[in-house]
Amino acid sequence: MMRILTASDRALLVEAADLDEAMRLNLAWEGLPGVVERVPGARTVLVHFDPLRISAEKLASTLKATRTDAAHAPHTAEVTIPVRYDGEDLDEVAALLGVSPEELVNRHLAADWRVAFSGFAPGFGYAVSSDPLFDVPRRSSPRTRVPAGSVGLAGRFTGVYPRESPGGWQLIGRTDAVMWDIDRDPPALLVPGAVVRFVRAGRSRYESGADTPDVGQNAAKRPTSGVSAAGVERAGHPDAAMIEITRPALQLLVQDLGRPGRAELGVAASGVADRTALRDGNRAVGNAPDAAVLECVGGVGLGFTGNGVAAITGATGEATIVDFDGIERPVPMGAPFATFAGDELHLAAPTHGLRYVIAVRGGIRALEELGSRSTDTLSGLGPAPLVAGDVLEVGIHAPYAVDPYPRPRALPTSGDLVELDITLGPRDEWFTASALQTLTGQEWSVTPRSDRVGIRLHGDVPLERAVTDELPSEGAVTGAIQVPPDGQPVLFLPDHPLTGGYPIVGALTDRCLDLAGQLPPGIRLRFRIVGRSGDVG
């Protein structure tokens, strides 16, 4: 019997009987009205929906009425991946499974693997086989750095890390195969439905002492003619103004509204952390609502080579313009201001909020990847983070008149107490009753170990699990509150992985996501439940 759970106020998590049914259901729901995107997992499908087009209850009823059969199973080409079986966890995993390392390798080679779904990072395919040997627990403590090309095991799955990233899979080998290439069609080597054959690699270039290869890294990071090292377009128009980064920020990125609808490639939507700030900034300078902007953490210096209009939204702090003659003038927050050739914008660290959005009339010109100019810091998609000396080109087209009226927002500063609304689920039943009371009853502090992937929280009392089983990988929404084994939650932001194997106790409501993107370290958080978990429909 299909079970449908609340994943957020804009997503449902559908539990299927098994992996095969999850794959068939995912395909059967292609083009369903009101559905924005689907993220299949090991035994689930995460269904994002537009609440203005369909209610959660009506969608659940439609989903439950679905009937599938084997004809829905996907079929794609076979992929062969050469592997050098020298992973640092190989001996330990073999002992755990009660076989020799050589038998483990031989059975990995002999098995017929099929990619069930994508997630975690672009190009990361979860492949499953019928060999019952392969049911391997994740590492109790995930690694902070797994090299690109690493071949791993977790649960019933095997996979290959497309790029260097954190990870908790058991590593048994490595490959030189390029798992993700933005210039390839499709960019992912392992797509859902693909049959995968692993073969022993010959002499590897690792044995020659060469550096670890750049396996599966984003091809756009390699500059080509007319493109800067940051991946931004150059010399697109002779009259275009330029912006030079004169003083680096803690983080300076090109962002827009992201790239939703790419889950089949393992690509998250990403996009600006504060959508309200992006819309306010673009409105102020007369841009289209989705024009690319700069997202800045910390202070920054920007030099302008031509005349234009800019606005600073989101976080607030001291901002001044120093002109060609050294004359200084203050810059208002949220309102448009003129820039002239030779001006330099000095932006101090924010006093309230965390991330500035800097919009310029015409928008930031940057190379599009999969329909977006956004930088995804987890996957490596989009322009590289900007550093001192990088030069950006400004577009020359803006469809609207500037709007001189700022829209003030009250953003918090370090030490403030902030309340965020959440819906419980989908895995709140995995936690004890006291843990659910702790979730909303105690304050959580935002730690410095936070970024665009997620905000790491700390509470005096960690969340205790009632179910300690391994959770098969399943989809996660932006705003999800995932709880690793230490019981200290991670609040997912736009660059979070599409899927994960730690239980999610709740998720922020959509209207709280922009505020979450503006929480600096030291903020005190309380969660307030506004939606309950359980079966929907």
Side-chain angles (χ1 to χ4, degrees):
M1 183 69 179
M2 184 188 301
R3 189 171 177 227
I4 300 180
L5 305 172
T6 298
S8 76
D9 59 348
R10 292 172 179 251
L12 301 175
L13 186 74
V14 182
E15 287 186 341
D18 52 28
L19 174 62
D20 287 339
E21 184 184 40
M23 294 173 65
R24 293 194 298 270
L25 288 171
N26 178 54
L27 291 171
W29 292 331
E30 176 72 32
L32 203 62
V35 172
V36 176
E37 186 170 41
R38 309 175 319 281
V39 182
R43 292 201 300 265
T44 60
V45 182
L46 180 68
V47 182
H48 295 261
F49 66 92
D50 182 350
L52 297 179
R53 298 176 59 195
I54 192 169
S55 68
E57 292 74 18
K58 184 175 181 179
L59 176 59
S61 178
T62 301
L63 298 177
K64 284 184 176 180
T66 305
R67 297 293 180 265
T68 65
D69 54 39
H72 286 98
H75 300 283
T76 60
E78 181 174 304
V79 177
T80 299
I81 298 178
V83 178
R84 184 179 182 214
Y85 288 94
D86 59 356
E88 54 191 289
D89 299 325
L90 180 61
D91 291 345
E92 182 179 343
V93 172
L96 184 67
L97 297 179
V99 298
S100 68
E102 188 61 25
E103 181 179 350
L104 174 61
V105 170
N106 287 336
R107 290 176 71 167
H108 193 261
L109 290 166
D112 290 321
W113 296 92
R114 182 178 53 149
V115 180
F117 56 94
S118 299
F120 178 66
F124 192 101
Y126 289 75
V128 65
S129 82
S130 59
D131 190 331
L133 176 70
F134 296 104
D135 193 353
V136 180
R138 288 177 174 82
R139 290 174 56 84
S140 57
S141 177
R143 291 181 172 91
T144 58
R145 177 185 178 275
V146 176
S150 296
V151 179
L153 299 170
R156 295 175 54 201
F157 301 99
T158 192
V160 182
Y161 284 78
R163 68 193 305 270
E164 181 182 309
S165 64
W169 286 39
Q170 308 279 6
L171 305 183
I172 62 171
R174 47 189 170 174
T175 180
D176 290 350
V178 177
M179 309 309 295
W180 175 267
D181 183 349
I182 193 67
D183 295 324
R184 185 169 57 199
D185 185 19
L189 185 63
L190 300 183
V191 296
V195 174
V196 184
R197 298 287 300 188
F198 294 100
V199 299
R200 287 187 188 270
R203 181 176 175 84
S204 169
R205 56 181 163 183
Y206 295 102
E207 296 177 305
S208 67
D211 291 338
T212 300
D214 182 22
V215 179
Q217 298 288 342
N218 184 358
K221 298 301 183 290
R222 298 187 291 273
T224 58
S225 176
V227 181
S228 74
V232 294
E233 295 180 62
R234 300 287 297 277
H237 192 282
D239 297 329
M242 304 293 241
I243 300 174
E244 180 180 359
I245 315 305
T246 58
R247 178 167 57 90
L250 294 177
Q251 186 180 67
L252 186 63
L253 307 172
V254 177
Q255 292 293 344
D256 58 19
L257 290 176
R259 44 183 72 83
R262 306 285 183 173
E264 76 280 1
L265 298 176
V267 175
S270 185
V272 69
D274 184 347
R275 301 160 301 176
T276 299
L278 178 139
R279 287 191 287 263
D280 287 351
N282 279 327
R283 175 193 52 78
V285 300
N287 287 339
D290 59 350
V293 299
L294 297 179
E295 180 183 274
C296 177
V297 177
V300 72
L302 303 177
F304 297 87
T305 66
N307 300 342
V309 179
I312 303 168
T313 57
T316 57
E318 183 180 352
T320 57
I321 286 281
V322 179
D323 67 17
F324 185 78
D325 297 318
I327 299 174
E328 186 175 300
R329 67 181 189 272
V331 170
M333 292 286 110
F337 58 93
T339 61
F340 303 97
D343 280 355
E344 186 167 330
L345 173 66
H346 294 171
L347 194 54
T351 58
H352 292 76
L354 178 65
R355 293 178 169 89
Y356 293 113
V357 164
I358 305 168
V360 291
R361 185 167 176 80
I364 299 295
R365 289 178 59 87
L367 295 177
E368 284 194 3
E369 290 184 353
L370 301 178
S372 171
R373 295 178 169 88
S374 281
T375 299
D376 184 332
T377 60
L378 180 64
S379 72
L381 283 172
L386 300 166
V387 298
D390 281 339
V391 178
L392 305 164
E393 184 174 303
V394 177
I396 60 172
H397 300 293
Y400 307 113
V402 299
D403 186 338
Y405 303 105
R407 300 184 180 183
R409 295 170 66 195
L411 294 179
T413 190
S414 184
D416 285 353
L417 177 63
V418 173
E419 281 195 340
L420 296 176
D421 293 340
I422 65 171
T423 57
L424 280 182
R427 298 301 175 194
D428 53 303
E429 62 193 24
W430 281 52
F431 297 86
T432 64
S434 62
L436 297 180
Q437 292 175 348
T438 298
L439 176 67
T440 58
Q442 80 172 357
E443 291 182 5
W444 301 91
S445 60
V446 174
T447 73
R449 297 170 56 229
S450 302
D451 52 26
R452 280 180 50 89
V453 174
I455 299 173
R456 294 183 179 271
L457 303 176
H458 178 79
D460 292 337
V461 180
L463 299 182
E464 181 185 12
R465 281 172 58 169
V467 179
T468 58
D469 296 344
E470 189 88 1
L471 178 68
S473 292
E474 59 188 28
V477 299
T478 301
I481 305 168
Q482 188 186 68
V483 186
D486 65 3
Q488 300 292 349
V490 178
L491 176 57
F492 279 165
L493 289 185
D495 291 353
H496 69 88
L498 276 175
T499 59
Y502 297 134
I504 291 171
V505 66
L508 298 188
T509 60
D510 185 76
R511 76 177 190 87
C512 287
L513 293 178
D514 293 343
L515 178 56
Q518 291 290 359
L519 300 180
I523 285 288
R524 297 175 296 129
L525 277 184
R526 279 190 179 275
F527 294 117
R528 179 174 54 203
I529 298 173
V530 297
R532 292 287 172 178
S533 62
D535 290 355
V536 180

